Amino acid sequence: MSDIIIVGCGRVGSRLALMLSEHDNNVCVIDRDPSAFAALGRDFNGSTFVGVGYDEEILVNAGIEECDFVAAVTQSDNANLMVVAVSYTHLRAHETLANL
């Protein structure tokens, strides 16, 4: 799955995704608008998911349980806060299980 999940594929999200994938990171980008992924270009070697970034099912499918980092860079502060809250819950639970 993904080492890094980026929620939001606007100007900031797409640049971040491209930069991180160029440095051999496994990147997954989530955006609710499928046309937003065009900003990634053909050379992007990560994965993409269409959906709302704070949807637990989308995050699980994107690899939240195994990822190292989540970046919430949508245009909505409220959506970004929700992504962080849901991600924190999953990442913290994963770390706790891994330490048992």
Side-chain angles (χ1 to χ4, degrees):
M1 290 294 186
S2 298
D3 293 326
I4 300 168
I5 296 174
I6 299 172
V7 180
C9 194
R11 187 175 35 117
V12 173
S14 62
R15 291 289 301 145
L16 182 60
L18 289 169
M19 181 184 69
L20 291 169
S21 68
E22 287 172 0
H23 288 90
D24 297 326
N25 292 294
N26 187 17
V27 180
C28 177
V29 181
I30 301 171
D31 199 287
R32 64 182 179 179
D33 179 6
S35 66
F37 301 126
L40 297 171
R42 290 190 227 188
D43 294 334
F44 178 68
N45 61 358
S47 56
T48 58
F49 284 88
V50 176
V52 179
Y54 50 83
D55 181 324
E56 289 186 57
E57 184 177 342
I58 295 288
L59 286 167
V60 168
N61 290 337
I64 187 71
E65 294 169 339
E66 292 87 23
C67 81
D68 300 314
F69 184 79
V70 177
V73 291
T74 72
Q75 294 180 0
S76 168
D77 291 340
N78 290 337
N80 291 341
L81 288 171
M82 290 296 296
V83 169
V84 170
V86 173
S87 298
Y88 178 75
T89 300
H90 276 279
L91 291 172
R92 186 171 171 206
H94 175 69
E95 289 173 4
T96 302
L97 290 174
N99 290 329
L100 290 178

